[in-house]
Amino acid sequence: MDLSFGPEYEDFRDEVKTFIKDNLDDQPKPGAGPKSEEVRQWQAKLIANGFHSRTIPAEYGGFGAEPDIIKSRIIAEEFGAAQMNTGFSGQGISMLTPVLLEMGTEAQKQQFIKKTIHGELIWCQGYSEPGAGSDLASLTTRAELDGDEWVINGQKIWTSTAHISDWIFCLVRTEPEAPKHQGISFLLFEMNTPGIDVRPLVDMTGTANFNEVFFTDVRVPKDQIVGHRGQGWQVANAILGHERGSLAPPDAAMARLNGVIKLMQEETISGERVIDNPIFRDRLLKLQGRVMAMQYNDMRLLSATINKSQDTKLAGMVVKLIGTELRHEIECLGIDVMGEIGLSYGDNPYLRGNGSWQYQYMYYLGLIIGGGTSQIQKNIISERGLGMPKEPKIAQTGV
Amino acid sequence: MEFGLSEEQKLLQDSLTRFLKEQVSLDHIREVAAGESNDAMAWSGLSELGIPGLIIPESHGGVGLGMLDAVVVAEALGYHITPGPFISTAVIAPTMLMAAGQTERLTDVAAGQYRIGVALSEAIGSRLDAGISVTDGTATGKALFALDSEADSYLINGPDHSLYWVDAGDPGFSRKLLTTIDKTRTICELQLNKASVQLVSADPGVLLAGIDAGRVIQAADSLGAAQCMLDQAVAYSLQREQFNRVIASFQAVKHMCAEMASQLEPCRSLVWYAGHAMATASDDARLTACHAKAHLSEVAQFVARTSTEVHGGMGFTDLVGLHYWFKRIGANRQLLGSPELVREEAARAQNLVA
């Protein structure tokens, strides 16, 4: 066990700190739009200094450094501690770019990666459908080849940022006769193509975090496909793994838990601080122990990416399940320590933390369901982690 | 940077596991539980492997390893619910004696020839009228739930978190075995009637160091025991058939096992870290020792219950023997502070209590 990163990394940390100190005042102002000049320039500066798109090759507009998980972590730690603007995020950067690097053609890499990481192209992800949630591979949005074009008909749901996206990466069924996992293709197309209708989907938080997207005879050039026809499932799975772990980072959970401590020190019940109430305090401490376990689990996973001799398969599989459930409970305690004040939402004058406690409490219920529900996670853990068999298929009737 | 066990630690775990697999079978546990055997066989085997002197310096005949190594050992001992006084004589007593600079008996401890029990319950939360008073080098009173009924001497919590040492052969000393659910380790009540005692330390830090070390070891013991219960549940579900299929193919059973694994796997990292923090005297050693003990108490209890349920009616019987693990985990939960008491100490350790 050696938890120090070593002297060369401490030098790197100093570099990051110096950049932050020198550039604190150059950050985009709060509220600056994603297409504004100051946001674009900031993004370019982050990439040029290796603090964004660090490992993306320079020929595709990235910084071109060798992958180094510890340096990435140091950047995240220092930017987080200084609350420094970390530049663009989103599914184009976190999900599509890695897939193009791995499976895209040279022309696709040239066409999309640089513009995507510089924030010039915003992407949304067209995977889930009303009839294809946990069983994503049963999706039915169809694309048929007509000359040099795909003609797409169907519907997607849970499509974040569809209303502001320039392009979509989308799973469609191109081989209806093939087994369900082998009949899917991964297409890329512009959101302003005729035949696309985006409708916001208001969720329980009161916000439209997602959209429904309808396709009616949407015509897309034939070569806008990643991988071959029928390979779309493998392409999509290569990046779903990226999404799951990142939904519930334990450091963010600890930051939120520390927020609950502050709240408990400030809020009072009949003049007594909530932190002095042993029942609430015990709930807090229970959660703290659980978050700590996830933080050290995370360090173990980080370490295993460097030293591959450790078997951390199970440790990685549980992060989404435990992390999202835990976060939901932390937000719940935040509400409970406030009692009726915790009901405040919107313009209520007693609102605490800008309404984030109720919002996050509901939002994390969404994340318990999204990205593979807790029940699907348990199937994966029991089958791939513990070697238990799949549920036998029920013989289909009349299909 | 390396968060994990070293090659040496893995080797230590492997060689220990080989010994435990061969020598500490369920049949042996049954003999110990029935009073037909005691912990002498396991303890002498562990002594040959150097386990009693694991954290004792080489200058005193020990192996000179640290708390993370002790965690690795405890995890393996817990997995096989090994009888014996590892936690008291090999961890808590040496930790306190080294902290107090009183190392003269450690050579005998390291050789496996001398056992030191510990009576610390009153330092954590006194029940009934337990406790001792000390005047002119003699102590009177009683200590409940002392660890190891076969020890040659005991370290006892005295007034104001001081620590005293009493010889089991002293004319003013008597002890009686207290029957508990857990038959793999012995617990007793100590009666002192003007027994000669020796002050080990008046510094509460000495006592706390022993309690914290004991808590980390208990957490590791529960981690190992719970891992074994999970493994047994999965293995049983893959072999037991109902409705013409193995019950491991039912989602209800799979989800019970997945929940056990999901809660238990991160515990491994927490317990390892707690051992590492103590070995390196990190500022958060006390806090993580408390959290490791409390959190493992909760998770291991959940695993103990759920694994028993996966076994169905057989889990409830004596035939499968699963209850020996259930009871070991149950004992670890209460000894050195139940989770509520330990979490309160964790709160104090970060100044959250007014």
Side-chain angles (χ1 to χ4, degrees), chain B residues 59-221:
Chain B
S59 55
H60 291 82
V63 189
L65 293 175
M67 272 302 287
L68 183 56
D69 306 282
V71 159
V72 167
V73 167
E75 205 180 321
L77 296 178
Y79 193 97
H80 295 89
I81 52 171
T82 313
F86 175 73
I87 186 170
S88 45
T89 202
V91 178
I92 300 177
T95 299
M96 295 195 295
L97 290 174
M98 289 189 287
Q102 303 213 8
T103 54
E104 61 271 22
R105 290 318 295 253
L106 291 181
T107 312
D108 296 335
V109 171
Q113 289 162 357
Y114 188 78
R115 285 161 68 150
I116 306 176
V118 296
L120 307 175
S121 299
E122 283 72 39
I124 296 155
S126 179
R127 300 275 180 173
L128 306 172
D129 55 348
I132 60 163
S133 59
V134 182
T135 37
D136 300 331
T138 66
T140 297
K142 71 176 173 186
L144 286 170
F145 313 113
L147 303 183
D148 192 5
S149 69
E150 308 282 321
D152 299 291
S153 64
Y154 290 86
L155 293 170
I156 305 185
N157 160 234
D160 302 320
H161 286 66
S162 57
L163 189 67
Y164 285 88
W165 202 345
V166 61
D167 195 277
D170 190 276
F173 174 93
S174 65
R175 63 184 154 188
K176 93 182 156 210
L177 180 71
L178 296 174
T179 304
T180 74
I181 51 160
D182 178 25
K183 301 287 190 289
T184 61
R185 291 158 308 176
T186 57
I187 287 177
C188 59
E189 174 177 342
L190 308 184
Q191 288 279 359
L192 276 63
N193 186 9
K194 293 188 181 157
S196 303
V197 289
Q198 177 195 334
L199 178 68
V200 174
S201 176
D203 174 6
V206 169
L207 190 78
L208 273 187
I211 291 173
D212 286 347
R215 284 176 174 163
V216 173
I217 292 306
Q218 265 174 341
D221 192 273

Side-chain angles (χ1 to χ4, degrees), chain A residues 225-238:
Chain A
I225 181 170
V226 181
H228 298 297
R229 278 180 74 146
Q231 259 192 352
W233 184 252
Q234 289 89 308
V235 176
N237 264 314

Side-chain angles (χ1 to χ4, degrees), chain B residues 229-250:
Chain B
M229 288 195 87
L230 169 59
D231 292 350
Q232 290 189 63
V234 172
Y236 182 81
S237 74
L238 284 166
Q239 154 253 298
R240 166 76 174 166
E241 289 185 20
Q242 286 288 275
F243 304 101
N244 298 318
R245 37 196 271 219
V246 292
I247 62 168
S249 67
F250 289 103

